Amino acid sequence: MNGIQRKPGYLLATALIGWLSINTAGVLKADPANPGTRPSPDWLRSAVVYEIFPRNFSKAGDLNAITARLDELKDLGVNILWLMPIHPTGEKMKKGSIGSPFAVRDFYAINPNYGTTNDFKRLIEESHKRGMKVVMDIVAGQTAWDSVLMEHPEFYLKNANGEIIPPDPAWTDVAGLNYANPEVRRYMIGMMAYWLKDFGVDGFRCDVSPTVPVDFWEAARAELEKINPEVIILADAGAKPAMLYKAFNVDSSWAMISTLDTVMSSVEPANYIEESWEHTDQQFPKGALHLRFTDNHEEPRAVARYGVTGALAAQVLMLTLDGVPLFYNGMEVGDATESADPALFEKMPIFWHPGGRPPLRDIYRDLIKLRKQNAAFYNGEVVWLTNTAPKEVVSFLRQDANDEFLVLINLSSRRVTGSVGLSNTEGFEPVNISGRAPPVDTLAPDFSLSGYGWYIYHRTVPK
């Protein structure tokens, strides 16, 4: 939410998180009293989300600059835009020279630096013309210290001395809202209904959702569906199966990104990816959707963490696994501008023309097209396969009744050769991806992968 500064012990801590996420399967499981998750339409299951930080998306840093680039996002294959908070930012106790967009001064207003209500309506209308939906970021658990809601001190969390406090001691730039007060609930549901009804947004991404009681989210959803039965709501949460029973369509796969970080830094072997996936699969009811990401506003850029080719390999993983893949603010060109702290609190625009990159936009465009055109990627099974290089390579099938796709990804910087534990590989052909040469001198099930190399193969299932 407010940024994570990585300390020297970060990788050790992340390794511990990854270990816990894999080795606590007996603790966190889907609630047998709520065996299902809310159904999601195919257009959401096959969607690609693009997170935009309006302040840093362009030098202008406003809504009109986003509208001007909608055709580029459409061409990439994006069909859901997630806008980080567009409201006025608090000045009191702010962090940095500008402050965090998650320190909201007025939930009913638009940051004047971003533009006007008409600019926002035009962005939504132009997005809809291109078949793209718009999701607003809602920070329901807190406000800025100079929020208009400070006129109602009874709306806030307080300590034993009656002083208003943050929802988390580290979040010094925000004050926590008290959901034991029914007036807070009414106010926040009314606010979300306002943006849904009067502006035509398609849904909400709800920041640090677990800081707000799940029964509020369920009540909010019930009211919002009266306005738009197809409203979509994304939870900034992980390992919280109950949030997907009634309230949310998608959550964030934090366990997966934590595990990926440890693998890419060689702290853990690549087969931990499979174990992390299986643990989450056991926790959640069948059909649960998870946002798959390598880059967002809370992490240092993926190209800074993994290098350019490593970041590409990691995003290939997210585009070929189940769930809903996410792109963040310029990652399609390999932007390495800071994110998280300090970018949350300063003006740090994307650099749209970095040098020394492979043709990332073309590669991602082809991968998104492949995913959207083949239901095996968004409605099919994930079948994990053994291989002879489990420390470096992940291997799996995405399959349905019509197609099978074999995915091989080297998550290390070393060249690796080996073979996949798949007895019948007859008919598999490499998928053609822009800027990617087909494999040379190897045929599945054998592979020879350069550092962070990857291949995708396809065959039609015989009738």
Side-chain angles (χ1 to χ4, degrees), residues 11 34 53 65 67 91 140-142 172 184 220 249 254 339-340 342 352 369 389 409 412 423-424:
L11 289 177
N34 293 279
F53 190 172
T67 304
E91 290 289 327
Q142 67 209 38
T172 56
V184 171
N249 297 91
W254 283 108
S339 58
W352 284 102
K369 184 177 180 181
I409 307 172
S412 79
S423 58
N424 177 15

Side-chain angles (χ1 to χ4, degrees), residues 27-194:
V27 178
L28 295 171
K29 286 185 178 287
D31 182 353
N34 293 279
T37 188
R38 65 172 305 106
S40 292
D42 273 357
W43 67 259
L44 177 58
R45 304 189 76 87
S46 63
V48 174
V49 180
Y50 191 100
E51 180 188 1
I52 296 176
F53 190 172
R55 179 200 297 166
N56 290 338
F57 186 73
S58 65
K59 290 183 179 179
D62 59 20
L63 298 172
N64 287 334
I66 300 171
T67 304
R69 301 193 82 127
L70 288 178
D71 286 336
E72 293 179 31
L73 296 173
K74 173 69 174 176
D75 178 67
L76 181 63
V78 169
N79 50 1
I80 297 178
L81 304 182
W82 154 18
L83 301 180
M84 287 170 60
I86 62 170
H87 310 295
T89 299
E91 290 289 327
K92 185 178 180 180
M93 298 181 69
K94 69 182 179 183
K95 294 184 177 181
S97 64
I98 300 176
S100 168
F102 294 95
V104 174
R105 198 163 68 237
D106 186 349
F107 289 111
Y108 276 90
I110 290 175
N111 187 328
N113 294 323
Y114 286 0
T116 67
T117 54
N118 285 336
D119 293 334
F120 188 40
K121 287 179 178 178
R122 178 170 168 265
L123 170 57
I124 294 168
E125 290 168 0
E126 292 297 322
S127 298
H128 288 170
K129 286 179 184 178
R130 291 162 174 80
M132 294 188 285
K133 299 183 183 294
V134 178
V135 169
M136 289 180 69
D137 213 324
I138 295 296
V139 195
Q142 67 209 38
T143 75
W145 289 98
D146 50 0
S147 166
V148 297
L149 289 182
M150 283 290 172
E151 295 178 0
H152 302 277
E154 71 277 10
F155 278 20
Y156 288 88
L157 297 173
K158 296 177 182 177
N159 61 19
N161 296 323
E163 301 165 324
I164 295 174
I165 58 174
D168 183 297
W171 302 348
T172 56
D173 57 340
V174 293
L177 289 169
N178 179 14
Y179 276 78
N181 184 336
E183 291 301 318
V184 171
R185 294 175 176 238
R186 277 191 281 271
Y187 181 92
M188 298 303 288
I189 290 175
M191 177 271 296
M192 295 170 75
Y194 166 73

Side-chain angles (χ1 to χ4, degrees), residues 316-334:
V316 171
L317 175 65
M318 299 308 176
L319 284 163
T320 52
L321 278 179
D322 56 336
V324 181
L326 169 76
F327 282 78
Y328 175 62
N329 231 40
M331 69 177 292
E332 72 272 27
V333 297

Side-chain angles (χ1 to χ4, degrees), residues 174-378:
V174 293
L177 289 169
N178 179 14
Y179 276 78
N181 184 336
E183 291 301 318
V184 171
R185 294 175 176 238
R186 277 191 281 271
Y187 181 92
M188 298 303 288
I189 290 175
M191 177 271 296
M192 295 170 75
Y194 166 73
W195 294 106
L196 194 67
K197 183 176 181 181
D198 290 17
F199 287 78
V201 300
D202 300 285
F204 303 94
R205 180 265 183 184
C206 302
D207 188 59
V208 280
S209 311
T211 62
V212 175
V214 70
D215 66 336
F216 164 78
W217 294 121
E218 292 173 351
R221 170 142 214 144
E223 291 301 313
L224 296 174
E225 284 185 343
K226 294 176 183 178
I227 301 170
N228 179 0
E230 294 190 351
V231 63
I232 54 173
I233 310 182
L234 284 60
D236 175 26
K240 303 286 184 182
M243 303 196 83
L244 297 185
Y245 294 151
K246 298 178 182 178
F248 293 94
N249 297 91
V250 187
D251 74 351
S252 298
S253 48
W254 283 108
M256 177 59 73
I257 189 63
S258 294
T259 303
L260 179 64
D261 276 343
T262 65
V263 170
M264 297 294 283
S265 58
S266 300
V267 173
E268 300 293 353
N271 59 13
Y272 261 45
I273 297 290
E274 175 187 352
E275 294 184 34
S276 178
W277 183 93
E278 288 179 341
H279 170 64
T280 298
D281 189 56
Q282 293 170 2
Q283 282 181 273
F284 284 82
K286 185 174 177 60
L289 280 179
H290 310 288
L291 202 63
R292 303 295 190 189
F293 62 92
T294 59
D295 215 342
N296 68 6
H297 68 275
E298 298 185 77
E299 302 282 322
R301 299 309 300 250
V303 294
R305 302 198 317 274
Y306 310 145
V308 174
T309 55
L312 172 59
Q315 188 68 355
V316 171
L317 175 65
M318 299 308 176
L319 284 163
T320 52
L321 278 179
D322 56 336
V324 181
L326 169 76
F327 282 78
Y328 175 62
N329 231 40
M331 69 177 292
E332 72 272 27
V333 297
D335 176 50
T337 305
E338 291 280 2
S339 58
D341 184 358
L344 274 179
F345 317 120
E346 307 292 346
K347 172 70 173 171
M348 303 185 74
I350 294 169
F351 183 61
W352 284 102
H353 302 286
R357 306 287 197 262
L360 293 174
R361 188 191 294 274
D362 293 339
I363 293 170
Y364 286 139
R365 183 194 299 113
D366 281 3
L367 287 168
I368 291 171
K369 184 177 180 181
L370 177 71
R371 185 178 183 278
K372 286 185 174 182
Q373 290 182 345
N374 294 279
F377 285 108
Y378 58 85

